[in-house]
Amino acid sequence: MKRTCLAIILAAGESTRMKSSMSKVLHPVAGRPMIAHVVESLVNASISSAALVLGRDADAVKSAAARNDIELSACLQKERLGTGHAVLAAKDAIAKGYDDILVVFGDTPLLTAAPLLAARQGLADGNDVVVIGFQTADPTGYGRLIVENGALLAIREQKDATEDEKKITYCNGGLMAINGARALELLGKIGNANAKGEYYLTDIVEIVRAEGGKAIAVEAPETELTGCNNRAELAAIEAIWQKRRRHEMMVSGVSMIAPETVFLSFDTQIAQDVLIEPNVVFGPGVTVESGAIIHAFSHLEGAHVSNGATVGPYARLRPGANLGPDSKVGNFCEVKKAEIGAGAKVNHLTYIGDAFVGEKTNIGAGTITCNYDGVNKHITRIGANAFIGSNSSLVAPVSVGDGALVASGSVITEDVPSDAVAFGRARQEIKPGRAKILRERYQAEKAAKKK
Ligand code: UD1
Ligand code: CA
């Protein structure tokens, strides 16, 4: 689209019903603030300028919304006098002159580019105001769209609606496009003579018509415009978001056995031919390459899983875990800030943190990299084709060379050269017959006590 556009994001609400110490638009959906989802929909609709209308937590909301592919300005709405008043808080930005002004709400994280593009298309077609509406089974609380012969005559807020108007199920989704050349003039005419005593943005429809302008409504799916007022709605929105993203992933070639038990983040990237077993949680920053398997009950965050690698069941990958091709991190293992080389195996009950594990190395059950001395973190380097015996502690900073072997139960505090064997434990002693002697002594002591 050649036309220029300014999006105005209304986010000055008090968020009273969230019962929260922070603005509702900061509450996360799929691991990032709601406001960031709204901004992403703008970017996806190729909109490059937006003005945020803010109230509480202005600085935090501004930084949560910021990204480098859209120019954001912030305006403070000092008093909350209604949506019409809120849009005018962005007066200076509007005055810069844009073809299209698009008003969106900060609390609709399920919004996609499609309704934004449809609204702008309506302006390009010669309308002055385009409202995105939706059909709903329960219109209570929404502004009703009064449409006649394809023209939008008015939006009637719930409190001002007649009984007949209340029966209308076609509602205002809150998303509106306004002819930029007329926006300030029209917005300036909005008054507050209504049941709530608020400046209703929705009055702009009757105002523009009275001046001979054209207004229409365009329908979009209800989910796209779902707003969030309390935490139950937040959870419902999260569920819709998850369902939508899982579906996108499955149709693009990811297998999920029980998709409803898999939780994704906004930026989770999973390639084709990955299998995700039930009950897996992806925190932010995870990429999984083709052919990998994520077994049940695993939790991944800030991790990269290469081609053909397997994770879990019951594995935890923390930020900086980087699993090489065909490597394996098995049950009850935790990996943090560590490279696991191609074909290496970390199979059971192990913690690998701040470490490098070389190709094809085998880490025995119960191995711990002791990376923290209570003050600083230290690095463990393990070469390729090494073998770490079960129940070993590698006290960092320490290194184990290529092909080296660490005896089971060792506490390794000094570097192990390549191809060496390291014993870091007391040698075994055998005392023939001693067990029998001890057993008889203990039995005698017990019998003496009973008397
Ligand atoms: C609004 C619409 C209604 C529509 C509904 C869709 C108006 C008058 N009504 O009603 O037609 O069906 O949304 O959800 O526009 N805000 C501010 N400053 C204000 C007032 C509101 O920033 O002074 C922000 C809120 O934070 C919110 C948005 O604007 O993000 C909508 O405000 P809200 O009070 O929720 O409007 P509704 O009564 O739901
Ligand atoms: Ca609302």
Side-chain angles (χ1 to χ4, degrees), residues 28 67 110 120 148 157 170 176 193 195 198 200 213-214 320 365 407 412:
R67 48 190 282 165
L110 297 170
R120 293 189 63 198
E148 207 178 271
E157 292 304 304
Y170 193 20
M176 183 186 290
E198 280 187 9
Y200 289 163
K214 288 202 282 181
I412 299 296

Side-chain angles (χ1 to χ4, degrees), residues 13 20 49 91 173 229 354 422:
S20 175
S49 306
K91 200 184 213 160
N229 294 307
D354 301 299

Side-chain angles (χ1 to χ4, degrees), residues 17 24 80 105 107 141-142 227-229 233:
R17 283 173 288 168
K24 78 175 156 190
R80 203 174 177 275
F105 292 169
D107 65 349
Y142 292 112
C228 178
N229 294 307
E233 289 175 9

